[in-house]
Amino acid sequence: MNGAFDLDVASRRALWDEIERFKQGGGTVLLTAHYLEEVKALADRIAVIHRGRLLAEGSPAEIKRRVGLRRLRFRASALPELPGVARAERDGDLHTLWSNDADVVVRRLVESGVAFHELEVPPVSLEEAFLAVLNEEAP
């Protein structure tokens, strides 16, 4: 046995609540996890360690800023050339664009007069940030 154990949903939530209470009381918890849901729920600071090397350290927001690109999703029949788009994908009328400045892309989209709907600019996920950190390290 390697010391790992799984908790049912209710027990896991109760443990997370106890950890949060302990932190609010001034306590410090060192948690190692591969489950990013746990990290997102519990961590104030994150250290990304890969193959024994510290690749990144900071708050969840600081780690997420390492991604650099924001994702925009919306539906439109066609798109004009939009400045600031680093990458684009299309699946039928669903467009997914990546940009360093999502605000500029949205403004240009509106200015173009293209009819679009269901616009989403979701925040970068912790998983995307971890992958970005690991990709920075790739040879």
Side-chain angles (χ1 to χ4, degrees):
M1 179 152 193
N2 64 8
F5 59 93
D6 289 324
L7 298 173
D8 63 67
V9 174
S11 297
R12 182 181 68 188
R13 179 54 61 193
L15 177 61
W16 288 8
D17 290 345
E18 285 303 315
I19 290 171
E20 191 57 39
R21 273 194 282 285
F22 181 71
K23 286 173 30 186
Q24 294 302 318
T28 299
V29 176
L30 177 62
L31 172 71
T32 61
H34 288 99
Y35 300 106
L36 296 182
E37 180 184 356
E38 242 176 16
V39 173
K40 181 181 172 186
L42 299 172
D44 297 323
R45 308 274 313 153
I46 297 171
V48 181
I49 300 171
H50 183 63
R51 295 184 179 161
R53 292 189 54 225
L54 178 64
L55 301 182
E57 186 271 328
S59 69
E62 290 168 334
I63 299 296
K64 288 178 180 183
R65 280 195 291 273
R66 301 272 303 251
V67 172
L69 296 177
R70 295 293 308 266
R71 181 181 52 236
L72 300 92
R73 266 185 278 196
F74 56 91
R75 296 192 178 277
S77 58
L79 286 185
E81 189 72 28
L82 295 168
V85 174
R87 192 170 101 214
E89 293 178 3
R90 182 176 182 173
D91 182 11
D93 71 342
L94 179 62
H95 297 269
T96 304
L97 310 177
W98 284 265
S99 173
N100 287 322
D101 192 338
D103 295 337
V104 167
V105 174
V106 171
R107 278 194 295 276
R108 297 294 188 259
L109 184 60
V110 170
E111 290 168 359
S112 76
V114 169
F116 66 92
H117 59 284
E118 297 180 32
L119 174 66
E120 296 177 346
V121 184
V124 171
S125 72
L126 202 49
E127 181 176 331
E128 290 168 319
F130 269 65
L131 292 173
V133 168
L134 293 176
N135 285 337
E136 289 172 7
E137 186 63 16

